[in-house]
Structures are given as C-alpha cells and as structure tokens.
Amino acid sequence: MPGAAGFGGGRLVSARPLRTGPLAGELTSSLIGQVAGRYGMERGEVLEQWSLTGSPARHPGGGGVRADAEVVLNGAGRRVLAELCGVESRVLARALPAYAVDGVAQDAVARGRWRVAQTAAGPAVFGCRSCAARRTGRAVSSVVYRPRWRRVCVRHGKWLLDADADPAWEHLELGVVSEVVQAQYRWAGVRRRAVRAGRDPDVVFDMAHAVVCRWWDPGWEEETIWPRRLYRLAEVNAGGDLGWWRIVGRDAVVFPEAVAVAGDLLEPGTSELAWEAFGGKRLRARGADDPLCRRLGERVGRPWLGPLAGTDYDGALSAHIGALARARRPGGADRAGWRDDPWRVRSEHRPATAAALLRVRDAEARQAGSGTRWRAVVSAGTRREIGRWANEAAESLGALRGVQGSGTTREVARVLLESLTDSADKVDLALLTAARAALAAGVGLDDVAGWCRLPAGDLVRILAQPPDDGQDEDGTAQL
C-alpha cells in the first residue's frame, strides 16, 4: 500500500505509514485523532489532509469541539485515510459506521464534511479505554457508535457516557451496582424476542427507556430502589454533587427497569391488556385499574406504581397503550398509519438527554430567579397536573362541536352551559397551579398577576384560600 510520503506544506511526511487500526464502531473523526497521536501531531494538522466544509459541533457558551463531531469523507478522502492508517479500505469500511456515508462531492479532491454523529450513523459514546488497550495496546480516548441499549462494558464493568455532553468522566464505574451489568446480559434475550416478533430492537428499547424516564422525573416518595442505586453509583465514582448525578447517572440507574419494561411490552398478551384498559367493546376512559400498568409495576418490583402510571395520560406509555387499543377496534389495524404505530416515541415524549439537562443546569446556575428553566424548577408532578387540567378542558370544549345544530332549546342550553362551566373550572385549576409554580420559581408577583389579568391583591387572596376537595396542600390536584 502506498505511504503518506509526498505531502508537503506542513503536512505528513513519512517514508511509510504508521499502522493505526480502527476500533469496532469508532467514529471516523475519532480514528483521525488516533492517527494524529501515532504521528505525534495535532489533530488539526492531520485534518489538513482533507478539504473540509462546515464546522465541527461545539459546546455552547464558547466551549470546545464536541467529542461526537463526526467527519464524512468522499471516495478520495477515504483513500487518504486508508493510506494514513496503513490498513485496507475494506477494513475501515467494516469498522467505521460512517465510513461509507454519502453527502460529499465525489471528485478527485480528498473532501470531508463535518456532521454530528447522531445524524451520521447514530448515537455516540466515549469508548472504554481498557478495551482500547486490549485491542491496540494503547489506553487511548476514543468515541464509538453505540445504541442506547449497549452502554455497558461487561468485561470491565463500566457504563459508557454519551459523547454529546462535556462530562467530568468518559465512563462510570459500576462497581457494586451489579444489577446494571446483569441487565445488559438479560437484554440479549429481549433483543432476540424483539427480532422474532419483527420489531426493531432499537425502537423497542427507545419506547421502554421513554417509559421509565417518565417515572424517574416525579421523584415519588414510594421510590426507594433508584435512590439507593444512585447513591451507590456516586460512592463508587468518588461522590460529587447529587444534582449532577441525577442527570449523568439517570440512564445507568434506570437501565435494569428499561430492560424489564421492554421485555414486558413484547409479551403476546400486551395488546389484550391495553384493550381491557379502555373497557374493551364497552369503551371507557383509562383509570388507576389499568391492567397493563399494574403488571408493569409488579414486573419492576413497584406494586404502587401501577395506579399512578394508569392515571398519567401524557407520557409514552399512555400513547403506547392507546395505539394498541385503537388497533384492536374493528378495522383499526387497516386504518392505522405510522402516526398510530404503538412503538413510535413522539418527540414530546422523548426524555431530555444528559447533555441537554446539563446545559439547563449550567444556565440555571448562572442566572437565578425567573431566569431559571421552567422544567428545572417546577416539579414533574406539577407540570403534569397543569397539562392534565388544560387537556381535560380542551376535551370538554371539543365535545361541544355540533351541539347547537340540533336538539331542543333546553337540552342544547344544558349541554352548553354544563360543559362550559366544567371547562372553566378545569382552566381555573390549571391557572392557579401555574401561578403558584411561577411564584415559587421566583417570578415577580406583579408579572404573574398581570398575566392572570387580576390585581395582585386579589391573586394573593385567591392563592391563600384553602384548596378545594381533590387538591393537595399546594393546590395541585391529586392523582
């Protein structure tokens, strides 16, 4: 194979290439960084071998280049990389998921384009340095593509962290948190079941992950397993700020439950339970007696979770159950499109990534009071209640369509006035809950009163009144 000799102008000059083998699943940009290390050069100097377009993704606030910044090469650019690595192009094609990704002009010039790893070939994590040392003889930092269900290095007991954030570490030592490692072994069986059922394992896990992350947010008093696991994880990794750990350690802590939920949702009788949750042929609203939620709570060792999950109507699990039930209706399977795919996780149901949550946390630390982020300072339970009252009010108003088209004057007036009053009551509950949350978060009283279109004194008196039946002490409605 020809060497890299002949590159002038401050570029690589070598009689023969220094062999640099890629790691399985490695980012092309990560391999370029390994090449730079082998030649004793800066990464930017090696990148001069290609004519690059675009800019690498950077951390906000003037931060450095993100570790998941990826480079997509054209044919000529791939040949240059193969020469620099001293390995055949087919070897790189097998190892690098983004190696053959198109999107760059195909001509005689070695070209490349900056991309974010997620948009090039999938989510990226920091690689295990121990695995890299075992493979190459050098404990180097690397970034590799890994699906969300494959974040545990079972050989070395590490949880590999997302590369889109800027964490203090590249991985978490699992240590005595052995249930996370065991869950990675159990996932192999769940994955096989998903394939046999004709389901994409990535999609199945995404749904299960969205479901359990929804349970993570409220911080219910009954929950004891996750806090213990989080504390043990923090102790193994030399402690630190618990707020930071709740963000960075979340995916590792909930991983065993995500695997359990993924397996349970693949059970053959799941659609039947979803159908029962809505009353079967005698349709009714889902409630705390939802049999599927009850079974999920039992499977993850939390019997108390079923009634709470059954009355949570805004999450991924509720959407999944609803889609399964609609498919069971007469002709439902024929009418269902991609929007009714029970395994599709809607954008509003996707849990925020650690990188996004860390950015919110940093912004909150820099700017106190009303400059904080709503999601960071208002509990998930309060946010859910506001959404619930608003949604129920919207449903009541939506039911009025066509009411005035027929019927006696008395009947139409009764339906209109009862429905409008019911909707107004729910809007009032949502308004007061939102006002309390805003004031507690540091928003000024005059601003909140002005947005509510009330004098400040009147708003204070209303909020000071004892809560009505069906509400808890802070005015939010009980589940």
Side-chain angles (χ1 to χ4, degrees):
M1 176 177 290
F7 290 93
R11 296 189 175 190
L12 296 176
V13 178
S14 177
R16 56 181 302 178
L18 301 177
R19 192 180 191 285
T20 308
L23 299 171
E26 191 171 12
L27 270 66
T28 304
S29 60
S30 175
L31 178 59
I32 293 174
Q34 313 297 351
V35 170
R38 288 283 284 161
Y39 282 90
M41 303 177 67
E42 294 294 329
R43 187 164 176 264
E45 295 179 279
V46 178
L47 287 171
E48 292 178 1
Q49 307 300 316
W50 297 273
S51 175
L52 298 174
T53 57
S55 301
R58 292 181 174 275
H59 295 291
V65 175
R66 282 169 35 174
D68 67 335
E70 177 63 298
V71 174
V72 176
L73 305 174
N74 65 358
R78 295 167 198 154
R79 288 191 292 273
V80 170
L81 181 60
E83 291 180 356
L84 295 178
C85 292
V87 299
E88 296 181 7
S89 183
R90 60 184 180 83
V91 174
L92 298 181
R94 284 199 307 268
L96 308 179
Y99 186 70
V101 172
D102 293 326
V104 188
Q106 298 295 330
D107 52 29
V109 179
R111 300 183 185 277
R113 179 184 295 276
W114 286 106
R115 298 273 294 275
V116 175
Q118 179 70 49
T119 65
V125 297
F126 291 102
C128 174
R129 293 195 181 217
S130 300
C131 288
R134 185 171 178 270
R135 169 72 174 80
T136 66
R138 307 184 310 277
V140 294
S141 176
S142 62
V143 183
V144 297
Y145 287 103
R146 288 284 181 88
R148 196 166 289 279
W149 48 261
R150 193 176 161 224
R151 298 298 172 85
V152 179
C153 174
V154 295
R155 181 184 295 275
H156 301 105
K158 298 177 180 178
W159 179 269
L160 307 180
L161 292 173
D162 291 335
D164 59 347
D166 190 16
W169 301 301
E170 296 178 356
H171 65 268
L172 302 179
E173 296 285 353
L174 294 175
V176 296
V177 193
S178 58
E179 58 266 40
V180 178
V181 178
Q182 295 303 317
Q184 186 69 77
Y185 284 114
R186 289 198 304 275
W187 168 255
V190 177
R191 184 171 182 268
R192 287 193 295 270
R193 287 170 51 199
V195 173
R196 287 197 299 269
R199 300 293 180 187
D200 183 344
D202 288 354
V203 173
V204 171
F205 188 83
D206 279 349
M207 172 58 70
H209 182 255
V211 169
V212 297
C213 285
R214 176 76 172 185
W215 299 341
W216 172 270
D217 284 340
W220 290 316
E221 294 181 1
E222 294 90 340
E223 178 57 46
T224 59
I225 299 174
W226 282 342
R228 285 200 302 267
R229 196 178 294 163
L230 185 65
Y231 281 123
R232 283 157 50 203
L233 193 65
E235 288 175 353
V236 171
N237 291 275
D241 179 8
L242 186 59
W244 184 87
W245 274 105
R246 277 188 58 83
I247 296 173
V248 176
R250 181 199 65 187
D251 288 352
V253 170
V254 305
F255 184 65
E257 285 73 19
V259 172
V261 168
D264 197 75
L265 294 180
L266 286 169
E267 291 288 340
T270 299
S271 61
E272 180 66 29
L273 291 178
W275 181 239
E276 292 177 11
F278 284 94
K281 294 182 180 179
R282 301 180 64 182
L283 289 179
R284 60 175 176 80
R286 285 175 53 235
D289 61 342
D290 185 321
L292 179 54
C293 292
R294 184 172 63 250
R295 189 180 75 179
L296 284 176
E298 293 170 353
R299 290 289 175 86
V300 297
R302 297 164 175 84
W304 52 266
L305 180 59
L308 292 177
T311 53
D312 178 9
Y313 304 112
D314 299 325
L317 180 59
S318 179
H320 181 79
I321 295 172
L324 289 176
R326 286 191 293 274
R328 288 291 302 269
R329 296 176 187 170
D334 298 331
R335 294 193 302 269
W338 72 273
R339 293 182 182 278
D340 251 355
D341 180 0
W343 296 99
R344 182 178 70 91
V345 181
R346 301 172 186 171
S347 58
E348 63 269 25
H349 295 156
R350 290 191 176 277
T353 64
L357 293 174
L358 287 172
R359 287 195 292 270
V360 170
R361 185 172 182 270
D362 291 342
E364 180 182 352
R366 292 192 299 268
Q367 190 174 19
S370 61
T372 56
R373 297 297 192 271
W374 179 266
R375 185 181 176 88
V377 295
V378 178
S379 71
T382 300
R383 299 196 309 267
R384 188 166 59 248
E385 285 306 314
I386 295 171
R388 178 187 174 190
W389 293 126
N391 290 338
E392 290 186 5
E395 290 176 4
S396 297
L397 293 174
L400 294 178
R401 295 193 184 102
V403 168
Q404 302 183 75
S406 61
T408 65
T409 301
R410 177 182 176 83
E411 181 62 20
V412 171
R414 182 187 66 80
V415 173
L416 277 173
L417 295 175
E418 287 183 350
S419 297
L420 289 170
T421 301
D422 184 61
S423 299
D425 289 342
K426 291 181 169 60
V427 169
D428 285 343
L429 286 169
L431 184 147
L432 294 178
T433 305
R436 283 193 176 90
L439 291 171
V443 181
L445 174 61
D446 290 339
D447 287 335
V448 174
W451 298 329
C452 293
R453 299 179 184 177
L454 288 171
D458 290 349
L459 178 61
V460 170
R461 284 193 294 272
I462 292 172
L463 294 179
Q465 292 176 1
D468 295 332
D469 291 338
Q471 292 181 301
D472 60 21
E473 294 181 25
D474 65 3
T476 58
Q478 297 174 351
L479 290 176

